[in-house]
Amino acid sequence: MEKYTSCKKAIEHCISNKYFAVAYLCNEEKTMNIHIHDCYEMYFSISGGKQFLIDNKFYDIDSGDLFVINQFESHYLTKIDQMVHERIVVSIHPDFIKALSSEQTDLATCFTKRSQGSAHRLHLTAEQQKRFQYYINKITSVDNFGGDIIEKACFMELLVMINNIYMETLNLGSNVSDYKYNQQVEQIIQYINQNICEPITIEYLAKHFYLSDSYICRIFKSATGTTINKYITARRISIAKSLLSSGTSVNEVYSQSGFNDYSNFLKAFTKAVGVSPKKYALYSNS
């Protein structure tokens, strides 16, 4: 399997082939804006870095951290600047994981089992980090006879390992509240998420929290790496994708996800996801 040096190209390959793709990244690729894509993601940090905003949770990134993100969760990596930040990003099509799973073993558990307060980050031990990189190296290096079978078998073993770590973490309860924010920004994010279906403007938020427009924008961008409006839009798109995948009609979805009219919803959704809400609904429920 090819090891990509661009996360965007890996995602495109994953989605177009309904398979999985591996990207090895340092600091060459420009960080994407807050985004959502139609594949699962495993993000493994080799050298540590700055911070990760995933939905309404904000994490510091340490060496050896593994983040598991599903196709409905918006995420954004804060600006890396000139810092060397080695990481491995594995993009996985949901249909591919479904095909690999059995009645006894759902390999998508680490991406889909989300309880309130559970985190996206797994702290891998030194041995687990070595094992993760061993599987990735084997997957991206086999090219002889039977390579496709070895590639798939290694990937399945990797998924089994990650799911076991994830479920052990859930059982221990050690990933609850494994994230943090600036206290003011935490209150702002909490308010946005509790009122995401209501009209929310910067002016309203500033008035609600007794702050100036410029100050609330500045502290939010400083803490999260993105703007308030981009965050609100990404959260609404995330909710809309989830609703469409569950069979809710397009006419109901745009209001339930907080968009004030269909034209705004259509424009924002198509720009973020790449297809119209109707096409996404047809694809998700086919």
Side-chain angles (χ1 to χ4, degrees):
M1 170 178 283
E2 178 181 356
K3 186 188 289 184
Y4 290 90
T5 55
S6 165
C7 196
K8 290 180 181 178
K9 289 182 179 179
I11 292 169
E12 288 171 1
H13 176 86
C14 164
I15 293 173
S16 62
N17 292 279
K18 292 189 176 182
Y19 196 52
F20 75 101
V22 176
Y24 172 79
L25 308 166
C26 287
N27 61 335
E28 294 87 356
E29 186 175 50
K30 181 182 178 182
T31 300
M32 288 189 281
N33 290 326
I34 188 166
H35 60 282
I36 310 163
H37 42 68
D38 289 323
C39 53
Y40 299 137
E41 180 175 308
M42 289 194 294
Y43 181 105
F44 176 71
S45 175
I46 298 173
S47 62
K50 286 197 174 180
Q51 293 165 324
F52 221 159
L53 175 65
I54 306 174
D55 265 358
N56 63 336
K57 298 180 174 68
F58 195 51
Y59 305 87
D60 288 325
I61 302 175
D62 297 320
S63 176
D65 282 348
L66 178 74
F67 294 87
V68 287
I69 306 165
N70 69 38
Q71 76 273 41
F72 304 124
E73 294 170 327
S74 57
H75 49 287
Y76 175 77
L77 184 69
T78 58
K79 191 176 180 182
I80 300 171
D81 299 318
Q82 299 304 311
M83 178 193 300
V84 174
H85 177 45
E86 290 184 274
R87 67 263 193 208
I88 295 168
V89 181
V90 184
S91 303
I92 314 156
H93 198 283
D95 289 353
F96 181 59
I97 283 196
K98 185 177 181 180
L100 294 179
S101 300
S102 67
E103 290 183 7
Q104 293 78 27
T105 307
D106 180 6
L107 293 173
T109 295
C110 62
F111 302 104
T112 59
K113 188 175 182 179
R114 289 277 187 267
S115 59
Q116 186 175 6
S118 65
H120 303 84
R121 176 170 59 181
L122 302 175
H123 298 287
L124 302 190
T125 65
E127 180 59 35
Q128 289 167 345
Q129 293 175 46
K130 288 180 182 177
R131 198 69 182 164
F132 181 91
Q133 294 192 66
Y134 163 78
Y135 284 126
I136 294 298
N137 289 334
K138 192 166 184 179
I139 286 168
T140 56
S141 62
V142 291
D143 58 1
N144 52 354
F145 177 78
D148 57 334
I149 294 175
I150 295 172
E151 179 179 291
K152 189 179 293 187
C154 282
F155 182 63
M156 291 177 73
E157 286 192 55
L158 172 62
L159 285 174
V160 169
M161 182 188 82
I162 298 305
N163 274 288
N164 277 324
I165 296 169
Y166 183 78
M167 288 186 288
E168 181 181 353
T169 304
L170 282 181
N171 291 335
L172 292 173
S174 58
N175 75 335
V176 176
S177 300
D178 190 23
Y179 48 87
K180 61 181 181 180
Y181 316 110
N182 168 292
Q183 187 173 359
Q184 275 187 312
V185 174
E186 179 177 8
Q187 293 172 352
I188 295 166
I189 287 176
Q190 184 178 28
Y191 182 86
I192 290 172
N193 281 278
Q194 289 175 346
N195 297 277
I196 196 69
C197 293
E198 303 298 325
I200 304 173
T201 64
I202 290 171
E203 293 77 12
Y204 181 84
L205 287 172
K207 184 177 180 180
H208 181 83
F209 288 100
Y210 303 100
L211 302 170
S212 69
D213 293 4
S214 60
Y215 182 72
I216 197 171
C217 290
R218 187 165 66 251
I219 62 169
F220 193 93
K221 180 70 180 289
S222 176
T224 67
T226 192
T227 66
I228 292 173
N229 285 332
K230 285 181 179 179
Y231 177 77
I232 291 171
T233 299
R235 290 293 297 122
R236 286 173 172 166
I237 295 295
S238 179
I239 292 167
K241 287 181 67 178
S242 181
L243 289 171
L244 289 169
S245 295
S246 68
T248 307
S249 72
V250 174
N251 288 333
E252 292 177 289
V253 165
Y254 85 85
S255 59
Q256 290 183 23
S257 55
F259 288 92
N260 57 1
D261 62 60
Y262 181 76
S263 61
N264 284 339
F265 170 56
L266 177 62
K267 182 178 178 181
F269 190 95
T270 305
K271 181 179 179 181
V273 181
V275 296
S276 70
K278 288 183 179 178
K279 287 184 178 179
Y280 183 84
L282 286 172
Y283 167 78
S284 299
N285 296 288
S286 60

